[in-house]
């Protein structure tokens, strides 16, 4: 259950005149004149941030605090007026996504998808844009509602891209989408539990089963990425030592020259592994 202090806590953050002084580091991640980027207190994935418009940046500009209550109240103001706030949130989201990707590489040595979007029926007051990594691996991800409110297949999460498109669309279409009727969206949170990973979509009866499966998906992904890095390293070393060991005089093949390229990327890997195998074969036959 959410109490009234929790309900309005985001608004209290958005009112702060001097965020780095007024908010602890455990809450504030980043800010600009117009927006705050904060850590979600109950992250539903490994990375989960909220971006909020700062009230003082908009109240002098024809917006009331009430206008900023939710996506629905903001869109009520019309395409132009809503668009200004959404574009500011989008700017902050771009910065946040870049920061998250940097952190992904630093901590896990690879990047994965990041979902950016709104909840049509929010559980807290004051509009906020979610920036959440596409893994749903977190101890705070506890129930069906949590899960279905973020996965792209759940039809509940509104991507920033969707909302931006409404803002550019015909006014009649915009007005229809902007209604954000909870009677239309809330039933979608009750959808059955399906793994969100592409090529899987396996169904689960209980949250513990789904959570165990998501953890497995994540562990497999990490193992795949690790194996990919190791193969790449091996190939780099091999092509490097080959180059050093064999002078160009000893019959260089097309395969060899390809493997010697110093700018080896993960994308070249599949191709290279093929040629590596071929060469190993010829090497063996040479020995015999
Ligand atoms: Zn939310
Ligand atoms: Zn799966």
């Amino acid at each position: 259950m959410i109490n009234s202090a929790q309900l309005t806590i985001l608004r209290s953050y958005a009112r702060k005149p001097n965020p780095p002084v007024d908010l602890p580091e455990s809450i504030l991640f980043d800010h600009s004149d117009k927006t705050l980027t904060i850590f979600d207190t109950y992250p539903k994935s490994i990375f989960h941030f909220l971006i909020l418009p700062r009230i003082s940046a908009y109240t002098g500009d024809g917006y009331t605090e009430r206008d900023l209550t939710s996506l629905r109240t903001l869109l009520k103001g019309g395409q132009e007026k809503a668009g200004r706030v959404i574009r500011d949130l989008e700017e902050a989201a771009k910065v946040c996504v870049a920061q998250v990707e940097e952190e992904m590489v630093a901590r896990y040595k690879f990047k994965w998808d990041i979902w950016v979007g709104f909840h049509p029926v929010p559980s807290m007051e004051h509009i906020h844009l979610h920036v959440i990594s596409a893994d749903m691996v977190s101890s705070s991800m506890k129930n069906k509602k949590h899960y279905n409110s973020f996965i792209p297949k759940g039809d509940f999460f509104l991507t920033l891209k969707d909302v931006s498109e409404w803002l550019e669309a015909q006014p009649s279409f915009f007005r229809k989408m902007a209604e954000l009727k909870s009677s239309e969206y809330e039933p979608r949170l009750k959808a059955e539990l399906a793994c969100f990973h592409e090529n899987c979509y396996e169904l689960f009866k209980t949250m513990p089963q789904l959570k165990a499966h998501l953890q497995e998906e994540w562990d497999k992904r990490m193992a795949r990425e690790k194996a990919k890095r190791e193969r790449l390293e091996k190939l780099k070393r091999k092509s490097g030592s080959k180059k050093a060991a064999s002078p160009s005089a000893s019959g260089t093949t097309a395969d060899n020259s390809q493997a010697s390229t110093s700018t080896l990327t993960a994308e070249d890997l599949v191709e290279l592994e093929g040629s590596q195998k071929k060469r190993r074969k010829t090497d063996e036959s040479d020995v015999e």
Side-chain angles (χ1 to χ4, degrees), residues 83-135:
R84 277 187 277 154
V85 178
I86 300 289
R87 275 191 296 277
D88 291 338
L89 297 178
E90 186 174 16
E91 277 309 303
K94 276 185 200 157
V95 174
C96 183
V97 163
Q99 287 163 326
V100 170
E101 287 185 334
E102 206 174 290
E103 193 61 25
M104 284 173 164
V105 172
R107 262 199 248 170
Y108 299 92
K109 299 196 174 74
F110 69 98
K111 290 188 273 193
W112 61 101
D113 286 352
I114 297 168
W115 299 321
V116 180
F118 299 96
H119 283 157
V121 186
S123 51
M124 288 162 112
E125 292 192 356
H126 199 69
I127 183 170
H128 53 281
L129 179 63
H130 289 267
V131 174
I132 178 168
S133 57
D135 50 81

Side-chain angles (χ1 to χ4, degrees), residues 195 197 200-202 213 217:
C195 172
H197 287 278
C200 181
Y201 302 138
E202 193 178 336
H213 176 79
E217 290 269 19

Side-chain angles (χ1 to χ4, degrees), residues 62-76:
Y63 300 82
T64 63
E65 247 187 34
R66 253 181 92 93
D67 294 334
L68 300 174
T69 300
S70 66
L71 182 62
R72 199 171 62 84
T73 60
L74 181 69
L75 296 181
K76 260 192 183 153

Side-chain angles (χ1 to χ4, degrees), residues 29-41:
F29 177 64
D30 198 7
H31 76 286
S32 72
D33 288 348
K34 302 204 157 169
T35 61
L36 297 181
T37 302
I38 62 167
F39 292 93
D40 193 300
T41 317

